[in-house]
């Protein structure tokens, strides 16, 4: 991340596929003459949902709504962030942005090929090293996501000032896509730069800088718009003390702790329901599974303190209940594993097997990747470290699915709800 000036109206620059912040090297000084300017090198292996969530947390650090300028893939991400977190975005400048479904018709792409595709050979000194730094596998993965990414619904929802800047000779995202995008984004304007191709901020930097600064000045002179509320999203939002977490909204008033071998991804339906009721859930991923409940509780307390999480409601699921019981008295337990059985391992494993046939198939899109990531060895070692705590039944009520075979209803007071263990 690099920064420029310290003027009002901060500007964030998002580069395109297989690029880096160096793609803005011809623009930063001009923009920084009037604005605080920061760039970021985007990851290519994360899903767009996770990347946009992390971008939102980055934009929060500015302390005020930000002018976001996104090129190509960066424009696609900028659209997503502006739609999900309109409270963070002051305006959008989308430069040859992706986000429209690509047509099978090759003619718009071929039509510009006889013309120079880039602003001189100098860009190769940036393009080639960035490609190899990113890696062919990462570029291929991100390319698939760009091509499949359809942001049209999010474009229709945008209510921030938006400027579309396109190179007249763009062979990768031809002008026809910019024209279609202008129709979808309410109040947006389209500016076409002659002699420019897919990277107009590099091809014709003086013209691009003048266009961008004029638009930013216009937005700054306009009366501040009413700050919109964020919409629900559930991607990886950041990492603190080595613990990655998902978060919906600005506040952190409900903490969700997942079960053994899982990640916070499967809390998405619950998080959405809480968010719809005005709560802002946050869910850490306990990557260091080989630990006991006391150690996990200590890690989570330090993590919560680093994020200034206080007076939150803690919700544990499955073995996460054991951890939550050591973290906070303000807790909700879902599908706990506590039992007075003389053979808790045999009992739990047999009932987990039974539960596998009671869960909806949709759950396994979360279960299978999480279990493969955890691995049998770490899963077993973690269970062994939790085993001493499974027999310590606390004096608490819990919630469980009526078809959940795992909770020991003889020793834990259970309120039944529809469903199985998850």
């Amino acid at each position: 991340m690099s920064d420029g000036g310290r003027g009002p109206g901060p500007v964030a620059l998002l580069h395109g596929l297989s690029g880096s912040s160096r793609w803005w090297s011809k623009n930063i000084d001009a923009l920084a003459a009037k604005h605080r300017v920061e760039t970021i090198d985007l990851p290519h292996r994360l899903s767009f949902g996770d990347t946009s969530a992390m971008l939102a947390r980055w934009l929060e650090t500015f302390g005020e709504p930000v002018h976001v300028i996104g090129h190509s893939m960066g424009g696609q991400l900028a659209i997503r962030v502006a739609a999900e977190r309109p409270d963070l975005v002051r305006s959008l400048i989308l430069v040859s942005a992706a986000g429209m479904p690509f047509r099978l018709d090759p003619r718009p792409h071929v039509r510009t090929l006889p013309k120079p595709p880039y602003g001189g050979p100098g860009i190769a000194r940036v393009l080639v090293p960035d490609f190899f730094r990113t890696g062919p596998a990462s570029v291929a993965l991100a390319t698939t996501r760009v091509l499949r990414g359809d942001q049209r619904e999010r474009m229709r929802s945008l209510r921030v000032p938006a400027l579309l800047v396109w190179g007249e000779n763009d062979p990768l995202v031809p002008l026809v896509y910019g024209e279609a995008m202008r129709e979808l984004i309410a109040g947006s304007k389209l500016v076409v730069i002659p002699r420019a191709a897919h990277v107009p901020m590099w091809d014709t930097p003086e013209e691009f800088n003048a266009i961008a600064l004029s638009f930013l000045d216009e937005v700054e002179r306009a009366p501040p718009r009413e700050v919109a509320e964020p919409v629900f999203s559930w991607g990886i939002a950041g990492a603190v003390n080595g613990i990655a977490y998902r978060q919906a909204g600005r506040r952190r008033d409900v903490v969700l702790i997942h079960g053994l071998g899982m990640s916070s991804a499967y809390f998405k339906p619950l998080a959405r329901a809480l968010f719809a009721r005005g709560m802002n859930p946050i869910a850490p991923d306990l990557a260091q599974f080989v630990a006991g409940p006391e150690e996990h509780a200590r890690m989570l307390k330090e993590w919560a303190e680093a994020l200034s999480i206080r007076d939150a409601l803690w919700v544990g699921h499955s073995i996460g209940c054991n951890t939550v019981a050591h973290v906070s008295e303000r807790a909700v337990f879902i599908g706990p594993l506590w039992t007075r059985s003389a053979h808790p391992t045999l009992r739990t494993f047999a009932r987990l097997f039974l539960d596998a046939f009671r869960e909806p198939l949709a759950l396994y899109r979360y279960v299978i990747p999480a279990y493969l990531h955890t691995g049998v060895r770490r899963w077993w070692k973690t269970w062994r470290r939790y085993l001493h705590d499974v027999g310590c039944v606390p004096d608490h009520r819990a919630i469980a699915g009526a078809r959940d075979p795992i909770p020991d209803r003889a020793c834990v007071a259970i309120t039944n709800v529809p469903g199985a263990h998850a």
Side-chain angles (χ1 to χ4, degrees):
M1 182 170 63
S2 61
D3 63 334
R6 288 291 184 268
V11 175
L13 305 177
L14 309 181
H15 64 76
L17 178 66
S18 80
S20 72
S21 55
R22 297 191 301 163
W23 288 62
W24 302 103
S25 59
K26 295 185 178 183
N27 318 110
I28 291 175
D29 289 345
L31 296 172
K34 290 189 174 182
H35 301 268
R36 172 189 172 190
V37 179
E38 299 209 17
T39 65
I40 189 169
D41 285 348
L42 297 169
H44 284 75
R45 285 188 174 271
L46 293 180
S47 70
F48 278 3
D50 287 346
T51 303
S52 63
M54 296 185 73
L55 283 173
R57 301 302 161 219
W58 178 55
L59 295 180
E60 285 179 348
T61 65
F62 286 75
E64 60 180 303
V66 181
H67 301 288
V68 180
I69 305 179
H71 169 246
S72 194
M73 181 189 75
Q76 186 170 346
L77 288 165
I79 291 167
R80 183 164 185 150
V81 172
E84 295 175 349
R85 294 298 306 271
D87 54 311
L88 300 177
V89 180
R90 180 84 167 90
S91 71
L92 281 177
I93 299 181
L94 303 174
V95 188
S96 297
M100 296 289 296
F102 279 81
R103 306 173 184 176
L104 295 177
D105 183 4
R107 287 174 296 178
H109 303 268
V110 174
R111 198 173 293 135
T112 59
L113 288 181
K115 303 174 183 179
Y118 294 108
I123 195 169
R125 295 195 300 267
V126 176
L127 187 154
V128 174
D130 281 349
F131 176 84
F132 285 105
R133 177 186 62 84
T134 304
S138 295
V139 171
L141 181 63
T143 299
T144 301
R145 289 172 175 152
V146 168
L147 294 176
R148 294 178 58 195
D150 184 353
Q151 302 297 319
R152 287 178 294 182
E153 283 304 312
R154 291 186 174 93
M155 292 178 200
R156 294 186 182 98
S157 72
L158 293 177
R159 294 297 180 267
V160 300
L163 175 69
L164 314 179
V165 181
W166 240 262
E168 182 183 30
N169 303 329
D170 188 343
L172 299 181
V173 187
L175 179 57
V176 63
Y177 293 102
E179 293 169 342
M181 198 174 288
R182 177 184 56 189
E183 297 298 319
L184 292 171
I185 302 176
S188 62
K189 302 174 184 178
L190 173 63
V191 176
V192 181
I193 302 181
R195 305 178 310 282
H198 186 59
V199 196
M201 71 278 195
W202 182 283
D203 300 342
T204 54
E206 293 81 7
E207 191 167 355
F208 175 86
N209 294 339
I211 292 169
L213 285 169
S214 176
F215 174 74
L216 295 176
D217 287 345
E218 180 184 336
V219 174
E220 288 289 333
R221 289 195 302 269
R225 63 183 178 87
E226 183 178 347
V227 177
E229 289 297 315
V231 300
F232 177 79
S233 62
W234 197 240
I236 293 291
V240 170
N241 290 357
I243 298 177
Y245 60 90
R246 289 175 168 82
Q247 178 178 337
R250 292 188 290 260
R251 303 186 314 276
R252 297 154 178 157
D253 41 30
V254 181
V255 184
L256 309 177
I257 305 301
H258 60 77
L260 179 59
M262 294 298 294
S263 77
S264 57
Y266 77 126
F267 279 128
K268 185 174 183 178
L270 174 59
R272 187 189 297 276
L274 293 171
F275 187 79
R277 288 161 175 77
M279 291 171 272
N280 287 194
I282 182 172
D285 278 355
L286 295 176
Q288 301 177 46
F289 276 108
V290 184
E294 297 86 358
E295 179 65 9
H296 274 152
R298 181 191 62 77
M299 293 164 56
L300 285 172
K301 288 178 182 179
E302 294 174 355
W303 169 82
E305 183 63 28
L307 286 171
S308 300
I309 297 175
R310 298 181 179 88
D311 301 321
L313 176 67
W314 288 72
V315 179
H317 172 242
S318 193
I319 211 169
C321 298
N322 298 70
T323 303
V324 166
H326 291 277
V327 174
S328 175
E329 294 183 357
R330 191 163 183 256
V332 172
F333 304 110
I334 304 174
L337 305 188
W338 290 302
T339 177
R340 298 198 191 281
S341 169
H343 305 284
T345 297
L346 180 61
R347 178 190 186 278
T348 301
F349 282 24
R351 291 170 183 254
L352 275 172
F353 180 78
L354 176 61
D355 179 71
F357 297 96
R358 299 184 178 185
E359 299 289 0
L361 290 177
L363 178 65
Y364 288 94
R365 61 179 292 210
Y366 303 106
V367 173
I368 293 172
Y371 272 35
L372 288 175
H373 176 73
T374 302
V376 174
R377 183 170 175 270
R378 283 197 296 171
W379 197 101
W380 174 250
K381 279 192 169 185
T382 304
W383 168 254
R384 295 292 298 172
R385 296 196 180 193
Y386 268 79
L387 192 54
H388 74 277
D389 200 79
V390 170
C392 303
V393 182
D395 185 19
H396 291 299
R397 293 191 64 85
I399 299 168
R403 300 177 67 243
D404 185 352
I406 298 174
D408 189 342
R409 289 170 169 81
C411 63
V412 181
I414 297 291
T415 299
N416 288 313
V417 297
H421 187 56

